[in-house]
Amino acid sequence: MKPIFIDFETFYDEKQKYSLKNMTVQSYIKDPRFKVLGMSVSAQGTKTIWIDGHDNCQAFFNRLPKDVIFVAHNATFDAAVAYRVFGFKANKYICTMFMARYLISQNVLPPKTHTALKDIAPFVDEEKLHLDEALANGTLDTYAIKDTDICKAFYEKYIDQISQDEQQYIDMHVKASAIPQFALDTEQLTEVAAVDEDRKKWYGHVRKDDILVKILQSRGVAVEYKEMKLGKKPCFSKTDDFMDYLVNHKDPIVRYMAQLRLEAKSTCAVSKAQRFLDCGSPMACPLIYYGAHTGRSSGTDNMNVQNMPRGSKVRTSLMAQKGKKLIIIDSSQIEVRTLGFLAGDESILSVFRRGGDIYREFAGNQMYNKAPEDVTKDERQIAKAAVLALGFGQGVQGFIRYAQRMGIMIDEAQSQHAVSVYRRSFPKITGGFKFGGYWAQVENFVLNHGYSELPTGRRIYYPNLRYEGDKLVFDRADIFNKAGASSFLWHGLMVENLVQACARDIIFSQVATVLNRYPQADLCLMVHDESIFSVPEEDAEEIYKFTDETFKTPPAWAANMPVNGEGHISDRYDK
């Protein structure tokens, strides 16, 4: 396939807040004001040209074969315009913005690099023109041609440094983000979006730190603070352990205020439902390729499609389109399996190989000294939390907080018992009671090299790794850390990063295998360990059988790793 480089220029109106700064891509394109002014186009070995107006663009796409590589910067936008406006879907897509993310992650580009076209232009000895000047001077065509030339030069310089596997993963993300696969249950979404006015008023209050602090103090809560560059700040972020404590507080008023804060500060169900309605049916699910340090995807476009609680009305409002079915499949216990595989711990892998329940067996054989079949539901839940957390070096207090986030309340003695038993039971991972085993191997490698290396050859870099006093820190790449602050690093985080990255490579490989075998299948969405496909109704059973087999088969580089998938066919995203 030969690459074709495309950049659309479209009408926008900042005064009326009609722009991509204020709207999702899908609602922007759907808006009656949307208009394609023209596009710049180039192929390898040819001069970039400007095609003016909608009709001329349509004539171009009518002639363009599907068997091309559609290349653009921020390709999810340009691919969406090409598909929704001109009915064109390419066989393969490459986004130079996503390319930049990969190259930054692999230390090919500096960690402080950003991914806008103006930021990558210097790496191909170019400089982006200014849109305001082009509009004022009537030189939009020159502006667009320059953008495409930068995109083209960047692609040609760096594409060979990205493996074919990662190129396909970029393609998967562009298609899921740009090509709509889900029909919407608009009646159900409308019901969710119609939140009562009192709740909306409270959002305005709890968004303000000082007001929420006063409310909590009035309920007898001692608010925890964290040190920031500009001073102390309450620990009200969704990633703060203190917020988990509030959400599970015994006082229902405190729990309610914490939940309101999370809703008000995030893409809550109400606003998410409204955004889905604004996008319209059918809807695509926008994802960022290499959204996390480990290479996992992340949600984008202010929709956060990876954050929909199981069974929620927003989640179940996503349906298969007419004549289609959804295949929903989860890579079962992938992180536990991956940790066992990387550490070479047969005591874990053997349980999975014979189809055992790792949580129940750890509870019975190690934690409670009883037959696994006699383990109670509560005992299994504690053991599950231990198996999921303690392989990443969690200590006694950390495990108490982790269990609390799972809704499990344990005291210090129970936590100490779980930690001690886990470390004694899996010495290949932990080194036993003394630091060692796989934990030490990973830490020593990172300290010597500044990165971890995965079986696929992909790396997890820790830029500017250094000690500040007795703390090991690194400068997380700007694309993964908007604040630009240094991050604390220890062996538990190194191992967790490596395990999650390896699990990502396994799942992405399995998804790609399904798509390669069945071109009529489309990827709708990936949420960490879960993948959702849209398939023709008449092929659903056949494709599901293959998908199930694929998720039970590891890639060649992990041939002896026992993997498993749990899935089903459905009309809705109901799992």
Side-chain angles (χ1 to χ4, degrees):
M1 287 187 288
K2 295 183 178 180
I4 185 84
F5 303 89
I6 290 174
D7 178 42
F8 285 106
E9 298 299 333
T10 60
F11 169 77
Y12 69 96
D13 187 344
E14 289 288 2
K15 291 182 179 179
Q16 298 297 320
K17 294 188 176 181
Y18 174 62
S19 73
L20 292 173
K21 292 180 182 178
N22 304 292
M23 306 170 71
T24 67
V25 167
Q26 296 173 77
S27 58
Y28 173 76
I29 296 174
K30 177 190 173 187
D31 193 282
R33 292 168 290 183
F34 180 80
K35 182 181 180 181
V36 172
L37 303 176
M39 66 179 184
S40 50
V41 180
S42 188
Q44 283 185 313
T46 68
K47 185 178 180 180
T48 306
I49 63 170
W50 169 257
I51 299 177
D52 192 59
H54 177 281
D55 292 346
N56 289 329
C57 291
Q58 184 68 72
F60 172 84
F61 282 112
N62 289 344
R63 298 190 303 269
L64 185 66
K66 310 292 186 191
D67 193 25
V68 295
I69 305 173
F70 185 112
V71 185
H73 197 75
N74 191 15
T76 55
F77 172 73
D78 296 280
V81 173
Y83 180 79
R84 288 174 175 262
V85 179
F86 301 108
F88 180 83
K89 179 183 177 182
N91 284 353
K92 181 178 179 180
Y93 295 88
I94 290 290
C95 176
T96 48
M97 182 184 291
F98 288 168
M99 283 179 58
R101 297 188 72 87
Y102 178 81
L103 295 167
I104 293 166
S105 79
Q106 297 306 291
N107 210 35
V108 177
L109 299 182
K112 294 298 180 183
T113 305
H114 290 218
T115 59
L117 199 60
K118 67 179 178 62
D119 298 309
I120 68 169
F123 295 101
V124 289
D125 299 320
E126 293 281 4
E127 184 176 352
K128 193 180 187 310
L129 300 179
H130 296 285
L131 178 57
D132 290 343
E133 293 179 8
L135 292 173
N137 299 333
T139 56
L140 186 61
D141 53 347
T142 303
Y143 168 86
I145 286 170
K146 185 67 167 180
D147 276 5
T148 296
D149 286 342
I150 295 170
C151 173
K152 182 179 179 181
F154 189 83
Y155 173 90
E156 292 177 341
K157 181 176 180 178
Y158 290 108
I159 190 63
D160 289 341
Q161 298 190 47
I162 300 176
S163 70
Q164 290 295 320
D165 284 342
E166 292 297 331
Q167 288 184 41
Q168 181 168 8
Y169 303 157
I170 290 174
D171 171 70
M172 284 159 36
H173 283 74
V174 174
K175 286 176 178 172
S177 301
I179 313 299
Q181 300 297 341
F182 283 120
L184 299 180
D185 185 334
T186 55
E187 183 177 338
Q188 186 164 298
L189 286 170
T190 301
E191 178 186 335
V192 175
V195 65
D196 63 86
E197 291 302 317
D198 286 342
R199 199 174 185 91
K200 286 183 180 178
K201 290 177 182 177
W202 271 109
Y203 289 165
H205 295 306
V206 297
R207 280 193 185 98
K208 299 174 181 177
D209 288 351
D210 57 339
I211 292 179
L212 183 56
V213 166
K214 289 179 181 178
I215 294 173
L216 294 175
Q217 288 176 340
S218 72
R219 307 296 299 183
V221 176
V223 176
E224 292 184 8
Y225 290 82
K226 53 189 174 183
E227 292 289 344
M228 306 292 286
K229 284 187 175 181
L230 300 178
K232 290 184 178 181
K233 184 177 177 63
C235 296
F236 291 156
S237 298
K238 63 181 179 181
T239 54
D240 291 331
D241 289 336
F242 180 66
M243 183 55 82
D244 290 318
Y245 164 74
L246 296 178
V247 169
N248 293 284
H249 200 276
K250 62 182 180 180
D251 184 339
I253 301 299
V254 171
R255 293 199 303 270
Y256 183 64
M257 290 296 125
Q259 186 59 47
L260 285 174
R261 167 71 175 212
L262 291 175
E263 289 180 8
K265 281 288 187 176
S266 66
T267 307
C268 66
V270 175
S271 57
K272 194 190 302 285
Q274 188 57 57
R275 287 190 181 96
F276 286 10
L277 289 168
D278 292 341
C279 289
S281 184
M283 189 189 81
C285 285
L287 296 171
I288 293 181
Y289 163 82
Y290 230 109
H293 188 213
T294 58
R296 282 181 163 181
S297 316
S298 62
T300 185
D301 215 4
N302 208 24
M303 292 172 67
N304 202 359
V305 291
Q306 291 191 325
N307 182 20
M308 292 183 284
R310 292 180 182 273
S312 68
K313 288 188 175 181
V314 172
R315 182 168 173 148
T316 59
S317 71
L318 301 181
M319 306 185 300
Q321 296 186 64
K322 186 177 181 181
K324 302 274 190 172
K325 289 286 187 180
L326 300 180
I327 292 175
I328 306 165
I329 190 161
D330 184 84
S331 195
S332 306
Q333 300 157 320
I334 187 65
E335 290 190 10
V336 180
R337 296 167 188 265
T338 301
L339 177 58
F341 165 72
L342 292 174
D345 195 310
E346 280 298 320
S347 61
I348 289 178
L349 300 179
S350 61
V351 175
F352 289 117
R353 287 200 177 97
R354 54 183 167 78
D357 180 342
I358 186 68
Y359 308 138
R360 184 171 293 280
E361 293 202 19
F362 178 67
N365 298 334
Q366 276 83 32
M367 287 190 70
Y368 300 111
N369 195 28
K370 60 170 66 174
E373 59 268 24
D374 294 333
V375 169
T376 67
K377 182 179 178 180
D378 288 344
E379 289 170 340
R380 183 184 181 277
Q381 280 298 99
I382 294 173
K384 179 179 179 178
V387 170
L388 292 175
L390 298 182
F392 301 139
Q394 197 73 265
V396 173
Q397 295 303 319
F399 182 54
I400 290 174
R401 292 191 294 270
Y402 181 89
Q404 187 179 66
R405 290 197 293 272
M406 292 182 64
I408 302 167
M409 308 307 292
I410 57 174
D411 58 28
E412 189 166 324
Q414 290 173 300
S415 180
Q416 180 65 68
H417 175 66
V419 170
S420 298
V421 169
Y422 185 94
R423 294 185 179 184
R424 181 178 67 243
S425 301
F426 304 115
K428 284 206 169 182
I429 295 172
T430 67
F433 289 112
K434 295 183 178 180
F435 174 74
Y438 186 62
W439 289 353
Q441 295 171 34
V442 172
E443 181 176 67
N444 290 335
F445 190 93
V446 171
L447 291 175
N448 289 328
H449 297 84
Y451 63 83
S452 293
E453 187 160 275
L454 280 71
T456 55
R458 189 164 65 89
R459 293 176 176 179
I460 303 173
Y461 277 90
Y462 299 99
N464 194 22
L465 187 65
R466 64 199 183 277
Y467 278 99
E468 290 185 356
D470 60 348
K471 288 186 177 181
L472 184 66
V473 299
F474 70 101
D475 297 334
R476 195 181 294 271
D478 281 2
I479 59 171
F480 304 129
N481 183 16
K482 292 181 180 179
S486 59
S487 298
F488 172 61
L489 185 64
W490 62 298
H491 69 268
L493 181 59
M494 298 175 195
V495 172
E496 184 176 30
N497 286 344
L498 195 53
V499 167
Q500 289 183 351
C502 189
R504 172 267 197 193
D505 287 352
I506 293 169
I507 295 167
F508 280 23
S509 173
Q510 292 168 331
V511 169
T513 298
V514 173
L515 296 175
N516 290 338
R517 175 64 178 82
Y518 291 99
Q520 67 270 43
D522 292 292
L523 178 67
C524 305
L525 178 61
M526 285 186 289
V527 183
H528 305 312
D529 305 337
E530 186 176 58
S531 305
I532 303 95
F533 300 89
S534 172
V535 302
E537 190 170 2
E538 62 272 17
D539 299 329
E541 291 292 343
E542 177 186 342
I543 298 176
Y544 173 73
K545 181 179 178 182
F546 181 83
T547 303
D548 184 61
E549 292 171 353
T550 299
F551 273 68
K552 288 180 169 65
T553 305
W557 51 265
N560 65 339
M561 178 179 171
V563 295
N564 193 24
E566 294 180 358
H568 68 292
I569 300 170
S570 181
D571 292 316
R572 292 177 180 265
Y573 184 20
D574 56 3
K575 187 174 182 294

